[in-house]
Amino acid sequence: MPGKFIYLDHAATTPVDPRVVEAMLPYYTESYGNASTIYSLGRESRRALDNARETVAQILNAQPREIVFTGCGTESDNSAIKGVAEANQDRGRHIITTAIEHEAVLETCRYLEKRGFRVTYLPVDEYGVVDLAELERAITDETILVSVMMANNEVGTIQPLEQIAAIVKDRGIYFHSDAVQAGGSLEIDVDRLGVDLLSLSGHKFYAPKGVGALYVRQGTRLMPQMLGGGQEKNRRSGTENVAQIVGLARALQLSDADREVEITRVRGLRDRLKDGILSSIPDVVFTGHPTQRLPNNASFCFKGAEGEGILLSLDLNGIGASTGSACTSASSDPSHVLTAMGLPASVAHGAIRMTLGRENTEQDVDSVLAMLPDIVQKQRTLAPV
Ligand SMILES: *Cc1c(COP(=O)(O)O)cnc(C)c1O
């Protein structure tokens, strides 16, 4: 009898928590009013929207007016980077980011490069931590924006945002962070982190796909990327997706409520998985930072094997994992993150990322540990030398 499917790809997306669905449902069929209308049905939607905004603001230690709801994490990143670039190009046309950002940031920066902006892609060390000395050196009078992710989606490394903010501070440079992977997992206090803009995406923390948020510090000059009816205080036009926004806020609230307990539980599972793999399989590199990493992230390179082959064998055995970034797995180029960390392509090709979540148990981990050594061994005999 086949066992249950073991999902270990929470960095790609998460299931929607039933409590989130429950909070959303009334806003589809009962309180479906347009939040911009003034009669009672619309006012119900407006109230739900206001509550959601207050909830998100409170958890991030922000003001409600500093929260802009968007259509996804990608949109939040695009809006932050293009928005700052377009609104501040009179002051300079230089942007600093890192070599290991998500494509939503990297592609936006490449787009701006084609439009006359200069972009510096900071290097990282072997653990994927950004080089702060290089950041200092890269800043010029022309620099208007620094964008550094809070935690990496492939290897889970957490960046020293507070130290970066201290370097950027008082230089008239905006600081954006893609916190999509950190959202719902790490504590996010925008004042303590010192960020001016911060991106979140609901589907990475048990809310639905297709809803995101962007924190925009009061006073930030930002060109809206969606023009129209002036919703979200003119920063993102489009009729508000009330149900999804309610879902995002509820999911963030649930994550926040048992953050400490869940972090400890998931980190325990992750360490069991990591230790089990490192002790039962030879020639494995545990990628990412040993301690400064997301509690749910276990990423490896299995030398002499193809990550994709391992992934497909795991799937045949009822286990869902990833070779790294879901967004680039269609290409066979080695991951830009692992490459930036200095891993040779031959090693990076053996990458497997397992990201744990709310529904995973010790039994799940033990099932993986029981199967993986044979799977890797078989793949090693198949892989081209
Ligand atoms: C998933 C992800 C995104 C994109 O978010 P979507 O809501 O899927 O558009 C951006 N950045 C990081 C780090 C991510 O993990």
Side-chain angles (χ1 to χ4, degrees):
M1 190 195 81
K4 72 159 186 174
F5 179 69
I6 299 173
Y7 184 68
L8 295 178
D9 201 12
H10 292 81
T13 195
T14 55
V16 182
D17 189 299
R19 294 168 292 180
V20 170
V21 176
E22 195 188 334
M24 291 170 60
L25 283 179
Y27 299 97
Y28 286 113
T29 52
E30 293 160 36
S31 305
Y32 52 81
N34 184 318
S36 300
T37 58
I38 57 169
Y39 48 88
S40 56
L41 193 65
R43 289 204 308 273
E44 279 173 36
S45 296
R46 171 61 54 190
R47 233 180 340 262
L49 204 53
D50 289 346
N51 287 341
R53 202 181 308 279
E54 264 166 44
T55 300
V56 173
Q58 200 193 353
I59 291 169
L60 302 185
N61 191 23
Q63 298 301 316
R65 62 177 176 276
E66 296 175 313
I67 306 299
V68 180
F69 291 113
T70 67
C72 57
T74 299
E75 186 192 325
S76 296
D77 285 342
N78 272 257
S79 296
I81 296 168
K82 283 187 208 161
V84 165
E86 290 177 359
N88 297 278
Q89 51 185 322
D90 54 323
R91 294 171 39 215
R93 308 194 101 208
H94 179 228
I95 293 167
I96 301 173
T97 187
T98 81
I100 60 158
E101 298 295 312
H102 188 273
E103 286 71 14
V105 168
L106 290 178
E107 289 301 321
T108 303
C109 287
R110 286 182 196 126
Y111 165 91
L112 289 170
E113 280 186 284
K114 289 192 197 120
R115 281 166 179 70
F117 288 83
R118 191 166 70 80
V119 180
T120 302
Y121 300 90
L122 296 173
V124 295
D125 67 13
E126 62 184 306
Y127 302 120
V129 180
V130 69
D131 188 327
L132 298 181
E134 284 292 332
L135 169 62
E136 290 258 20
R137 267 195 289 280
I139 294 174
T140 72
D141 292 344
E142 291 281 297
T143 311
I144 52 171
L145 175 68
V146 170
S147 179
V148 178
M149 70 200 323
M150 187 164 176
N152 182 264
N153 45 302
E154 293 188 33
V155 296
T157 299
I158 298 168
Q159 300 298 336
L161 294 194
E162 289 173 58
Q163 290 179 52
I164 294 167
I167 293 169
V168 168
K169 194 171 166 264
D170 301 330
R171 283 169 144 153
I173 302 169
Y174 289 118
F175 181 25
H176 166 252
S177 185
D178 174 345
V180 170
Q181 281 297 325
S185 172
L186 304 182
E187 190 194 341
I188 299 177
D189 177 328
V190 290
D191 275 349
R192 197 169 49 70
L193 295 174
V195 294
D196 300 303
L197 303 111
L198 181 133
S199 304
L200 291 174
S201 173
H203 77 98
K204 303 291 173 78
F205 51 86
Y206 308 92
K209 294 156 191 64
V211 62
L214 178 63
Y215 161 75
V216 183
R217 186 174 294 280
Q218 177 87 347
T220 301
R221 285 167 66 185
L222 193 73
M223 187 71 82
Q225 298 299 305
M226 201 64 89
L227 305 173
Q231 288 91 345
E232 298 293 289
K233 295 200 193 305
N234 242 332
R235 292 163 302 184
R236 202 274 189 181
S237 287
T239 301
E240 300 89 343
N241 191 344
V242 178
Q244 300 255 104
I245 291 167
V246 165
L248 180 144
R250 180 76 178 122
L252 199 60
Q253 187 178 50
L254 290 168
S255 302
D256 192 56
D258 31 83
R259 179 183 322 286
E260 290 312 317
V261 175
E262 185 59 6
I263 281 185
T264 307
R265 190 190 74 89
V266 165
R267 187 186 286 129
L269 292 181
R270 192 272 313 279
D271 289 343
R272 184 182 181 91
L273 182 62
K274 177 194 78 170
D275 296 343
I277 287 175
L278 294 180
S279 63
S280 65
I281 303 177
D283 296 319
V284 185
V285 185
F286 182 58
T287 52
H289 198 280
T291 54
Q292 290 298 108
R293 68 187 295 138
L294 292 173
N296 74 332
N297 177 295
S299 13
F300 307 89
C301 287
F302 297 94
K303 291 183 187 170
E306 284 289 337
E308 209 164 276
I310 297 174
L311 179 74
L312 295 174
S313 301
L314 284 171
D315 184 42
L316 288 175
N317 286 282
I319 298 164
S322 167
T323 54
S325 168
C327 316
T328 48
S329 57
S331 86
S332 63
D333 290 342
S335 136
H336 68 282
V337 175
L338 298 177
T339 304
M341 287 162 57
L343 282 157
S346 58
V347 175
H349 274 304
I352 285 288
R353 173 189 74 186
M354 291 181 252
T355 44
L356 295 140
R358 207 171 268 172
E359 72 286 357
N360 289 129
T361 62
E362 210 162 87
Q363 179 58 49
D364 293 347
V365 170
D366 291 346
S367 300
V368 175
L369 290 175
M371 276 182 259
L372 197 59
D374 283 350
I375 289 174
V376 171
Q377 199 190 7
K378 189 170 275 169
Q379 287 300 317
R380 280 177 170 157
T381 65
L382 296 175
V385 204

